[in-house]
């Protein structure tokens, strides 16, 4: 009996290592799982980056297209403004008649020159001293000889030296004409506006309103131009400037 137990124990001892050796191995899948997650994450990250790059490229192309469109619209606007200015100049010349050509193809109103010259001669004995009259005539002579730069210098000096003269309004008016002829529209508008606002009793106010209306049109301020010219027609319906303004508006100005 003892021998049988010994034999069984020996057999059991022999079988135990064999059973352990034959048991299936349990692998550690944690590391493998983490590796797969990292690979998937890397794959997704790469795909997302590619998508973002494609979207960015599309946006860059769209911005370039829009920028080109803006440049095109700016060019078209500039051309329309130039054509509009030329249209107003053509209308002004047809309405006003005989003008003297100045720089940049602009004009100085010959009829206005005659009117201002006449007012300088007849009004000098009223409130203008000899120096003011002489300085005014010297400045106006430069207009007649088409020395516009010299005339501007002379009239600018006149309004400083003789600001209280009855010829000051006329001098500001001529500065408006001269700056307009040189296509310096801001300075022209300021000079005409000075006549209107600071010399409201001057006979040159209707003419200044008419010219300021034309300058505003050339500046691209069509609505301001029409409003001013309509006001001129209403306030001075019988004046020559009012008549010209009415004709100008009727002609499409």
């Amino acid at each position: 009996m003892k021998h049988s137990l010994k034999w069984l124990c020996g057999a059991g001892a022999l079988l135990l290592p064999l059973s352990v050796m034959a048991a299936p191995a349990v692998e550690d899948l944690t590391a493998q799982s983490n590796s797969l997650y990292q690979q998937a994450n890397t794959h997704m990250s790469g795909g997302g980056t590619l998508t973002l790059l494609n979207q960015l490229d599309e946006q860059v192309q769209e911005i370039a297209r829009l920028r080109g469109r803006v440049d095109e619209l700016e060019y078209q606007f500039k051309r329309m403004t130039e054509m509009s200015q030329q249209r107003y100049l053509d209308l002004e010349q047809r309405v006003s008649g005989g003008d003297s050509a100045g720089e940049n193809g602009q004009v100085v109103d010959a009829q206005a020159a005659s009117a201002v010259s006449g007012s300088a001669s007849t009004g000098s004995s009223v409130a203008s001293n000899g120096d003011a009259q002489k300085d005014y005539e010297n400045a106006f002579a430069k207009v007649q000889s088409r020395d516009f730069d010299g005339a501007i210098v002379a009239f600018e000096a006149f309004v400083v030296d003789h600001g209280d003269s009855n010829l000051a309004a006329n001098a500001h008016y001529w500065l408006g004409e001269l700056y307009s002829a040189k296509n310096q529209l801001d300075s022209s508008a300021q000079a005409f506006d000075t006549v209107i606002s600071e010399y409201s009793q001057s006979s040159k106010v209707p003419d200044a309103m008419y010219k300021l209306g034309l300058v505003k049109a050339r500046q691209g301020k069509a609505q301001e131009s029409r409003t001013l010219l309509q006001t001129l027609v209403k306030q001075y319906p019988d004046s020559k400037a009012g008549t010209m303004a009415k004709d100008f508006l009727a002609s499409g100005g």
Side-chain angles (χ1 to χ4, degrees):
M1 181 66 177
K2 292 182 180 179
H3 290 289
S4 300
L5 291 173
K6 289 181 180 181
W7 182 85
L8 289 174
C9 289
L14 180 63
L15 290 174
L16 181 60
L18 290 176
S19 63
V20 171
M21 293 178 60
V26 179
E27 298 182 11
D28 185 3
L29 299 179
T30 303
Q32 183 177 354
S33 175
N34 290 337
S35 177
L36 290 174
Y37 173 79
Q38 291 174 356
Q39 292 178 12
N41 188 47
T42 302
H43 177 73
M44 292 296 294
S45 176
T49 301
L50 181 59
T51 300
L52 289 176
L53 288 175
N54 289 336
Q55 292 176 349
L56 180 61
D57 184 61
E58 292 176 358
Q59 291 177 355
V60 169
Q61 293 180 12
E62 180 66 12
I63 291 172
R65 187 187 68 80
L66 292 175
R67 185 173 297 167
R69 181 59 176 163
V70 169
D71 291 341
E72 180 183 354
L73 291 174
E74 286 180 349
Y75 173 77
Q76 292 178 359
F77 177 77
K78 181 179 179 181
R79 288 289 300 151
M80 290 177 64
T81 301
E82 292 174 351
M83 292 173 64
S84 177
Q85 291 179 356
Q86 186 59 49
R87 175 170 166 266
Y88 279 110
L89 289 174
D90 292 342
L91 284 171
E92 178 186 3
Q93 191 166 4
R94 291 201 303 270
V95 171
S96 300
D99 298 322
S100 300
E103 296 182 10
N104 303 316
Q106 306 303 323
V107 294
V108 173
D109 192 336
Q111 294 179 353
S114 177
V116 175
S117 179
S119 66
S121 299
T122 58
S124 60
S125 61
V126 178
S128 179
N129 59 40
D131 289 340
Q133 177 66 26
K134 181 178 179 180
D135 290 346
Y136 185 92
E137 290 178 351
N138 288 338
F140 187 73
K142 295 182 184 297
V143 177
Q144 292 176 313
S145 65
R146 300 183 183 179
D147 179 10
F148 294 166
D149 289 331
I152 288 176
V153 172
F155 278 121
E156 289 284 10
F158 182 91
V159 298
V160 172
D161 297 337
H162 309 291
D164 57 348
S165 167
N166 69 327
L167 297 174
N170 286 14
H172 282 291
Y173 176 86
W174 267 110
L175 285 171
E177 285 276 15
L178 291 163
Y179 280 124
S180 175
K182 290 177 66 63
N183 208 32
Q184 298 179 22
L185 300 183
D186 289 342
S187 296
S188 176
Q190 182 178 358
F192 286 131
D193 187 65
T194 298
V195 177
I196 298 168
S197 60
E198 297 185 15
Y199 302 91
S200 59
Q201 302 304 313
S202 171
S203 61
K204 295 309 297 175
V205 169
D207 294 330
M209 291 179 68
Y210 174 67
K211 292 295 184 175
L212 180 57
L214 300 184
V215 168
K216 286 184 177 296
R218 290 167 59 192
Q219 289 177 314
K221 302 175 181 178
Q223 186 56 51
E224 291 185 30
S225 172
R226 290 186 62 84
T227 299
L228 182 59
L229 294 178
Q230 288 168 351
T231 300
L232 169 59
V233 172
K234 182 178 180 180
Q235 292 182 351
Y236 303 95
D238 299 327
S239 67
K240 182 177 179 180
T243 301
M244 289 192 297
K246 184 185 293 185
D247 293 341
F248 187 82
L249 291 168
S251 299

